[in-house]
Amino acid sequence: MSTLNKKPGRPRAYTPEALEAKFKEYAQWVKANPVYINKVSAGKIIPVPTQRPLTLVGFCRFAGFSRQNFYEYESREEFSDTLMCVREAIEADQLQGALVGIYDSGIVARVLHLADRQDVTTNGKEITTATQPISVVLDPEAAKIIQSIGKQTGKE
């Protein structure tokens, strides 16, 4: 009898080795089963095979458990190294696919929580409202010129 079954509660469906093998099986399945995207060519719709990305949710569904179960496995010391490798393999696939244009880079950046955030307006300072209203004073001659321009453009 294994030590896993001696613990209280339901026995786990996977050992670290079985989970690693399941991920390898998932990765092979993903690459062997492309997604078909419809493209229009010469007025005809043609299904074009497109590489399917590795995803955490996809792996969980393939393995038959929820993302929450993945997190629970991941929190256990005996699974942590294996599942870290799974996460890294998924991230590497997504990042490399985005870099070469196979996957949408914007979506991959969001999924991987990557962002190129630059403050181009305030130089890192907090945005505040103007403390004094801005007023513009025109001399009477400038006001007449602006009014005459307005009248000329209104006639056109």
Side-chain angles (χ1 to χ4, degrees), residues 102-130:
I102 297 171
Y103 310 144
D104 183 297
S105 60
I107 293 172
V108 170
R110 279 184 239 133
V111 168
L112 297 180
H113 306 289
L114 304 174
D116 183 17
R117 296 180 186 175
Q118 296 178 346
D119 182 350
V120 295
T121 59
T122 64
N123 199 23
K125 296 179 183 170
E126 190 173 318
I127 298 174
T128 59
T129 58

PDB file of all heavy atoms in Angstrom, residues 102-130:
ATOM      1  N   ILE A 102       2.873  33.108 -34.377  1.00  0.00           N
ATOM      2  CA  ILE A 102       1.889  32.024 -34.458  1.00  0.00           C
ATOM      3  C   ILE A 102       0.672  32.355 -33.603  1.00  0.00           C
ATOM      4  O   ILE A 102      -0.458  32.105 -33.988  1.00  0.00           O
ATOM      5  CB  ILE A 102       2.510  30.683 -34.008  1.00  0.00           C
ATOM      6  CG1 ILE A 102       3.638  30.286 -34.950  1.00  0.00           C
ATOM      7  CG2 ILE A 102       1.456  29.589 -33.959  1.00  0.00           C
ATOM      8  CD1 ILE A 102       4.456  29.093 -34.457  1.00  0.00           C
ATOM      9  N   TYR A 103       0.926  32.932 -32.418  1.00  0.00           N
ATOM     10  CA  TYR A 103      -0.148  33.286 -31.498  1.00  0.00           C
ATOM     11  C   TYR A 103      -0.243  34.803 -31.400  1.00  0.00           C
ATOM     12  O   TYR A 103       0.731  35.520 -31.639  1.00  0.00           O
ATOM     13  CB  TYR A 103       0.098  32.726 -30.093  1.00  0.00           C
ATOM     14  CG  TYR A 103       0.449  31.252 -30.032  1.00  0.00           C
ATOM     15  CD1 TYR A 103       1.360  30.791 -29.102  1.00  0.00           C
ATOM     16  CD2 TYR A 103      -0.133  30.324 -30.883  1.00  0.00           C
ATOM     17  CE1 TYR A 103       1.695  29.446 -29.017  1.00  0.00           C
ATOM     18  CE2 TYR A 103       0.195  28.979 -30.812  1.00  0.00           C
ATOM     19  CZ  TYR A 103       1.108  28.550 -29.875  1.00  0.00           C
ATOM     20  OH  TYR A 103       1.435  27.223 -29.791  1.00  0.00           O
ATOM     21  N   ASP A 104      -1.404  35.292 -30.999  1.00  0.00           N
ATOM     22  CA  ASP A 104      -1.627  36.723 -30.827  1.00  0.00           C
ATOM     23  C   ASP A 104      -0.801  37.223 -29.641  1.00  0.00           C
ATOM     24  O   ASP A 104      -1.015  36.807 -28.507  1.00  0.00           O
ATOM     25  CB  ASP A 104      -3.117  36.984 -30.587  1.00  0.00           C
ATOM     26  CG  ASP A 104      -3.444  38.449 -30.475  1.00  0.00           C
ATOM     27  OD1 ASP A 104      -2.944  39.095 -29.530  1.00  0.00           O
ATOM     28  OD2 ASP A 104      -4.203  38.948 -31.323  1.00  0.00           O
ATOM     29  N   SER A 105       0.132  38.125 -29.919  1.00  0.00           N
ATOM     30  CA  SER A 105       1.048  38.583 -28.864  1.00  0.00           C
ATOM     31  C   SER A 105       0.327  39.357 -27.766  1.00  0.00           C
ATOM     32  O   SER A 105       0.721  39.289 -26.601  1.00  0.00           O
ATOM     33  CB  SER A 105       2.168  39.425 -29.462  1.00  0.00           C
ATOM     34  OG  SER A 105       1.635  40.550 -30.126  1.00  0.00           O
ATOM     35  N   GLY A 106      -0.730  40.088 -28.106  1.00  0.00           N
ATOM     36  CA  GLY A 106      -1.469  40.832 -27.090  1.00  0.00           C
ATOM     37  C   GLY A 106      -2.147  39.916 -26.092  1.00  0.00           C
ATOM     38  O   GLY A 106      -2.128  40.162 -24.882  1.00  0.00           O
ATOM     39  N   ILE A 107      -2.732  38.855 -26.597  1.00  0.00           N
ATOM     40  CA  ILE A 107      -3.404  37.902 -25.715  1.00  0.00           C
ATOM     41  C   ILE A 107      -2.381  37.162 -24.861  1.00  0.00           C
ATOM     42  O   ILE A 107      -2.561  37.005 -23.651  1.00  0.00           O
ATOM     43  CB  ILE A 107      -4.267  36.911 -26.519  1.00  0.00           C
ATOM     44  CG1 ILE A 107      -5.430  37.678 -27.158  1.00  0.00           C
ATOM     45  CG2 ILE A 107      -4.769  35.768 -25.653  1.00  0.00           C
ATOM     46  CD1 ILE A 107      -6.261  36.863 -28.124  1.00  0.00           C
ATOM     47  N   VAL A 108      -1.285  36.740 -25.467  1.00  0.00           N
ATOM     48  CA  VAL A 108      -0.243  36.037 -24.707  1.00  0.00           C
ATOM     49  C   VAL A 108       0.312  36.949 -23.614  1.00  0.00           C
ATOM     50  O   VAL A 108       0.506  36.517 -22.479  1.00  0.00           O
ATOM     51  CB  VAL A 108       0.883  35.528 -25.638  1.00  0.00           C
ATOM     52  CG1 VAL A 108       2.076  35.033 -24.836  1.00  0.00           C
ATOM     53  CG2 VAL A 108       0.351  34.416 -26.536  1.00  0.00           C
ATOM     54  N   ALA A 109       0.529  38.217 -23.929  1.00  0.00           N
ATOM     55  CA  ALA A 109       1.050  39.151 -22.925  1.00  0.00           C
ATOM     56  C   ALA A 109       0.089  39.263 -21.749  1.00  0.00           C
ATOM     57  O   ALA A 109       0.518  39.300 -20.591  1.00  0.00           O
ATOM     58  CB  ALA A 109       1.285  40.522 -23.543  1.00  0.00           C
ATOM     59  N   ARG A 110      -1.211  39.284 -22.015  1.00  0.00           N
ATOM     60  CA  ARG A 110      -2.187  39.362 -20.926  1.00  0.00           C
ATOM     61  C   ARG A 110      -2.223  38.072 -20.124  1.00  0.00           C
ATOM     62  O   ARG A 110      -2.267  38.099 -18.888  1.00  0.00           O
ATOM     63  CB  ARG A 110      -3.569  39.683 -21.469  1.00  0.00           C
ATOM     64  CG  ARG A 110      -3.716  41.158 -21.727  1.00  0.00           C
ATOM     65  CD  ARG A 110      -5.107  41.530 -22.183  1.00  0.00           C
ATOM     66  NE  ARG A 110      -4.917  42.158 -23.482  1.00  0.00           N
ATOM     67  CZ  ARG A 110      -5.603  41.904 -24.569  1.00  0.00           C
ATOM     68  NH1 ARG A 110      -6.590  41.050 -24.536  1.00  0.00           N
ATOM     69  NH2 ARG A 110      -5.339  42.503 -25.686  1.00  0.00           N
ATOM     70  N   VAL A 111      -2.220  36.931 -20.812  1.00  0.00           N
ATOM     71  CA  VAL A 111      -2.273  35.638 -20.115  1.00  0.00           C
ATOM     72  C   VAL A 111      -1.049  35.448 -19.229  1.00  0.00           C
ATOM     73  O   VAL A 111      -1.157  34.965 -18.101  1.00  0.00           O
ATOM     74  CB  VAL A 111      -2.385  34.476 -21.139  1.00  0.00           C
ATOM     75  CG1 VAL A 111      -2.156  33.131 -20.474  1.00  0.00           C
ATOM     76  CG2 VAL A 111      -3.752  34.495 -21.815  1.00  0.00           C
ATOM     77  N   LEU A 112       0.113  35.865 -19.712  1.00  0.00           N
ATOM     78  CA  LEU A 112       1.349  35.706 -18.947  1.00  0.00           C
ATOM     79  C   LEU A 112       1.628  36.877 -18.017  1.00  0.00           C
ATOM     80  O   LEU A 112       2.666  36.934 -17.371  1.00  0.00           O
ATOM     81  CB  LEU A 112       2.541  35.495 -19.894  1.00  0.00           C
ATOM     82  CG  LEU A 112       2.487  34.239 -20.759  1.00  0.00           C
ATOM     83  CD1 LEU A 112       3.729  34.150 -21.646  1.00  0.00           C
ATOM     84  CD2 LEU A 112       2.349  32.993 -19.908  1.00  0.00           C
ATOM     85  N   HIS A 113       0.697  37.817 -17.970  1.00  0.00           N
ATOM     86  CA  HIS A 113       0.825  38.998 -17.115  1.00  0.00           C
ATOM     87  C   HIS A 113       2.083  39.792 -17.437  1.00  0.00           C
ATOM     88  O   HIS A 113       2.792  40.250 -16.543  1.00  0.00           O
ATOM     89  CB  HIS A 113       0.799  38.622 -15.627  1.00  0.00           C
ATOM     90  CG  HIS A 113      -0.397  37.816 -15.257  1.00  0.00           C
ATOM     91  ND1 HIS A 113      -1.663  38.350 -15.209  1.00  0.00           N
ATOM     92  CD2 HIS A 113      -0.529  36.507 -14.952  1.00  0.00           C
ATOM     93  CE1 HIS A 113      -2.523  37.405 -14.877  1.00  0.00           C
ATOM     94  NE2 HIS A 113      -1.862  36.273 -14.725  1.00  0.00           N
ATOM     95  N   LEU A 114       2.346  39.916 -18.727  1.00  0.00           N
ATOM     96  CA  LEU A 114       3.477  40.722 -19.182  1.00  0.00           C
ATOM     97  C   LEU A 114       2.930  42.062 -19.624  1.00  0.00           C
ATOM     98  O   LEU A 114       1.880  42.137 -20.242  1.00  0.00           O
ATOM     99  CB  LEU A 114       4.182  40.063 -20.368  1.00  0.00           C
ATOM    100  CG  LEU A 114       4.685  38.641 -20.144  1.00  0.00           C
ATOM    101  CD1 LEU A 114       5.213  38.072 -21.445  1.00  0.00           C
ATOM    102  CD2 LEU A 114       5.754  38.622 -19.079  1.00  0.00           C
ATOM    103  N   ALA A 115       3.629  43.122 -19.311  1.00  0.00           N
ATOM    104  CA  ALA A 115       3.179  44.444 -19.734  1.00  0.00           C
ATOM    105  C   ALA A 115       4.378  45.351 -19.896  1.00  0.00           C
ATOM    106  O   ALA A 115       5.344  45.256 -19.138  1.00  0.00           O
ATOM    107  CB  ALA A 115       2.207  45.042 -18.722  1.00  0.00           C
ATOM    108  N   ASP A 116       4.291  46.219 -20.869  1.00  0.00           N
ATOM    109  CA  ASP A 116       5.309  47.235 -21.071  1.00  0.00           C
ATOM    110  C   ASP A 116       4.660  48.539 -20.639  1.00  0.00           C
ATOM    111  O   ASP A 116       4.033  49.230 -21.429  1.00  0.00           O
ATOM    112  CB  ASP A 116       5.719  47.290 -22.538  1.00  0.00           C
ATOM    113  CG  ASP A 116       6.839  48.289 -22.780  1.00  0.00           C
ATOM    114  OD1 ASP A 116       7.496  48.682 -21.806  1.00  0.00           O
ATOM    115  OD2 ASP A 116       7.047  48.673 -23.944  1.00  0.00           O
ATOM    116  N   ARG A 117       4.758  48.821 -19.378  1.00  0.00           N
ATOM    117  CA  ARG A 117       4.094  49.999 -18.824  1.00  0.00           C
ATOM    118  C   ARG A 117       5.086  51.139 -18.725  1.00  0.00           C
ATOM    119  O   ARG A 117       6.097  51.030 -18.054  1.00  0.00           O
ATOM    120  CB  ARG A 117       3.515  49.696 -17.458  1.00  0.00           C
ATOM    121  CG  ARG A 117       2.441  48.651 -17.538  1.00  0.00           C
ATOM    122  CD  ARG A 117       1.872  48.363 -16.196  1.00  0.00           C
ATOM    123  NE  ARG A 117       0.952  47.247 -16.345  1.00  0.00           N
ATOM    124  CZ  ARG A 117       0.349  46.673 -15.360  1.00  0.00           C
ATOM    125  NH1 ARG A 117       0.543  47.074 -14.141  1.00  0.00           N
ATOM    126  NH2 ARG A 117      -0.471  45.668 -15.576  1.00  0.00           N
ATOM    127  N   GLN A 118       4.752  52.211 -19.399  1.00  0.00           N
ATOM    128  CA  GLN A 118       5.601  53.387 -19.358  1.00  0.00           C
ATOM    129  C   GLN A 118       4.734  54.588 -19.062  1.00  0.00           C
ATOM    130  O   GLN A 118       3.678  54.767 -19.651  1.00  0.00           O
ATOM    131  CB  GLN A 118       6.315  53.597 -20.693  1.00  0.00           C
ATOM    132  CG  GLN A 118       7.276  52.484 -21.029  1.00  0.00           C
ATOM    133  CD  GLN A 118       7.922  52.701 -22.382  1.00  0.00           C
ATOM    134  OE1 GLN A 118       7.478  53.513 -23.165  1.00  0.00           O
ATOM    135  NE2 GLN A 118       8.987  51.961 -22.637  1.00  0.00           N
ATOM    136  N   ASP A 119       5.189  55.421 -18.154  1.00  0.00           N
ATOM    137  CA  ASP A 119       4.495  56.660 -17.824  1.00  0.00           C
ATOM    138  C   ASP A 119       5.054  57.742 -18.741  1.00  0.00           C
ATOM    139  O   ASP A 119       6.174  58.188 -18.566  1.00  0.00           O
ATOM    140  CB  ASP A 119       4.731  57.006 -16.359  1.00  0.00           C
ATOM    141  CG  ASP A 119       3.988  58.256 -15.929  1.00  0.00           C
ATOM    142  OD1 ASP A 119       3.439  58.954 -16.798  1.00  0.00           O
ATOM    143  OD2 ASP A 119       3.963  58.532 -14.722  1.00  0.00           O
ATOM    144  N   VAL A 120       4.279  58.111 -19.739  1.00  0.00           N
ATOM    145  CA  VAL A 120       4.762  59.091 -20.705  1.00  0.00           C
ATOM    146  C   VAL A 120       4.164  60.471 -20.483  1.00  0.00           C
ATOM    147  O   VAL A 120       4.421  61.382 -21.243  1.00  0.00           O
ATOM    148  CB  VAL A 120       4.479  58.637 -22.155  1.00  0.00           C
ATOM    149  CG1 VAL A 120       5.267  57.391 -22.484  1.00  0.00           C
ATOM    150  CG2 VAL A 120       2.995  58.419 -22.367  1.00  0.00           C
ATOM    151  N   THR A 121       3.364  60.648 -19.426  1.00  0.00           N
ATOM    152  CA  THR A 121       2.702  61.932 -19.217  1.00  0.00           C
ATOM    153  C   THR A 121       3.104  62.644 -17.943  1.00  0.00           C
ATOM    154  O   THR A 121       3.168  63.853 -17.914  1.00  0.00           O
ATOM    155  CB  THR A 121       1.172  61.753 -19.205  1.00  0.00           C
ATOM    156  OG1 THR A 121       0.842  60.852 -18.155  1.00  0.00           O
ATOM    157  CG2 THR A 121       0.665  61.218 -20.525  1.00  0.00           C
ATOM    158  N   THR A 122       3.346  61.917 -16.866  1.00  0.00           N
ATOM    159  CA  THR A 122       3.537  62.586 -15.578  1.00  0.00           C
ATOM    160  C   THR A 122       4.917  62.382 -14.974  1.00  0.00           C
ATOM    161  O   THR A 122       5.173  62.850 -13.881  1.00  0.00           O
ATOM    162  CB  THR A 122       2.501  62.091 -14.560  1.00  0.00           C
ATOM    163  OG1 THR A 122       2.730  60.710 -14.322  1.00  0.00           O
ATOM    164  CG2 THR A 122       1.092  62.333 -15.034  1.00  0.00           C
ATOM    165  N   ASN A 123       5.761  61.632 -15.665  1.00  0.00           N
ATOM    166  CA  ASN A 123       7.103  61.363 -15.160  1.00  0.00           C
ATOM    167  C   ASN A 123       7.057  60.771 -13.749  1.00  0.00           C
ATOM    168  O   ASN A 123       7.843  61.131 -12.879  1.00  0.00           O
ATOM    169  CB  ASN A 123       7.953  62.634 -15.202  1.00  0.00           C
ATOM    170  CG  ASN A 123       9.435  62.304 -15.126  1.00  0.00           C
ATOM    171  OD1 ASN A 123       9.843  61.195 -15.450  1.00  0.00           O
ATOM    172  ND2 ASN A 123      10.233  63.267 -14.693  1.00  0.00           N
ATOM    173  N   GLY A 124       6.081  59.899 -13.518  1.00  0.00           N
ATOM    174  CA  GLY A 124       5.977  59.217 -12.235  1.00  0.00           C
ATOM    175  C   GLY A 124       5.269  59.987 -11.145  1.00  0.00           C
ATOM    176  O   GLY A 124       5.051  59.478 -10.063  1.00  0.00           O
ATOM    177  N   LYS A 125       4.910  61.225 -11.419  1.00  0.00           N
ATOM    178  CA  LYS A 125       4.237  62.029 -10.396  1.00  0.00           C
ATOM    179  C   LYS A 125       2.734  61.825 -10.468  1.00  0.00           C
ATOM    180  O   LYS A 125       2.186  61.484 -11.515  1.00  0.00           O
ATOM    181  CB  LYS A 125       4.568  63.513 -10.591  1.00  0.00           C
ATOM    182  CG  LYS A 125       6.046  63.805 -10.401  1.00  0.00           C
ATOM    183  CD  LYS A 125       6.336  65.260 -10.625  1.00  0.00           C
ATOM    184  CE  LYS A 125       7.834  65.514 -10.508  1.00  0.00           C
ATOM    185  NZ  LYS A 125       8.190  66.850 -10.933  1.00  0.00           N
ATOM    186  N   GLU A 126       2.077  62.056  -9.356  1.00  0.00           N
ATOM    187  CA  GLU A 126       0.632  61.911  -9.288  1.00  0.00           C
ATOM    188  C   GLU A 126      -0.040  62.991 -10.133  1.00  0.00           C
ATOM    189  O   GLU A 126       0.406  64.140 -10.175  1.00  0.00           O
ATOM    190  CB  GLU A 126       0.178  62.032  -7.831  1.00  0.00           C
ATOM    191  CG  GLU A 126      -1.266  61.668  -7.625  1.00  0.00           C
ATOM    192  CD  GLU A 126      -1.622  61.649  -6.151  1.00  0.00           C
ATOM    193  OE1 GLU A 126      -0.812  61.147  -5.356  1.00  0.00           O
ATOM    194  OE2 GLU A 126      -2.713  62.133  -5.829  1.00  0.00           O
ATOM    195  N   ILE A 127      -1.110  62.606 -10.805  1.00  0.00           N
ATOM    196  CA  ILE A 127      -1.853  63.564 -11.614  1.00  0.00           C
ATOM    197  C   ILE A 127      -2.713  64.419 -10.694  1.00  0.00           C
ATOM    198  O   ILE A 127      -3.468  63.900  -9.875  1.00  0.00           O
ATOM    199  CB  ILE A 127      -2.737  62.846 -12.651  1.00  0.00           C
ATOM    200  CG1 ILE A 127      -1.852  62.048 -13.606  1.00  0.00           C
ATOM    201  CG2 ILE A 127      -3.609  63.834 -13.400  1.00  0.00           C
ATOM    202  CD1 ILE A 127      -2.617  61.190 -14.583  1.00  0.00           C
ATOM    203  N   THR A 128      -2.582  65.722 -10.817  1.00  0.00           N
ATOM    204  CA  THR A 128      -3.386  66.641 -10.011  1.00  0.00           C
ATOM    205  C   THR A 128      -4.066  67.631 -10.936  1.00  0.00           C
ATOM    206  O   THR A 128      -3.648  67.834 -12.072  1.00  0.00           O
ATOM    207  CB  THR A 128      -2.516  67.421  -9.004  1.00  0.00           C
ATOM    208  OG1 THR A 128      -1.526  68.155  -9.725  1.00  0.00           O
ATOM    209  CG2 THR A 128      -1.834  66.479  -8.019  1.00  0.00           C
ATOM    210  N   THR A 129      -5.115  68.241 -10.437  1.00  0.00           N
ATOM    211  CA  THR A 129      -5.813  69.250 -11.233  1.00  0.00           C
ATOM    212  C   THR A 129      -5.075  70.580 -11.109  1.00  0.00           C
ATOM    213  O   THR A 129      -4.328  70.812 -10.177  1.00  0.00           O
ATOM    214  CB  THR A 129      -7.265  69.430 -10.747  1.00  0.00           C
ATOM    215  OG1 THR A 129      -7.231  69.789  -9.375  1.00  0.00           O
ATOM    216  CG2 THR A 129      -8.054  68.154 -10.920  1.00  0.00           C
ATOM    217  N   ALA A 130      -5.329  71.449 -12.054  1.00  0.00           N
ATOM    218  CA  ALA A 130      -4.696  72.771 -12.024  1.00  0.00           C
ATOM    219  C   ALA A 130      -5.173  73.521 -10.787  1.00  0.00           C
ATOM    220  O   ALA A 130      -6.346  73.484 -10.425  1.00  0.00           O
ATOM    221  CB  ALA A 130      -5.047  73.556 -13.276  1.00  0.00           C
TER     222      ALA A 130
END
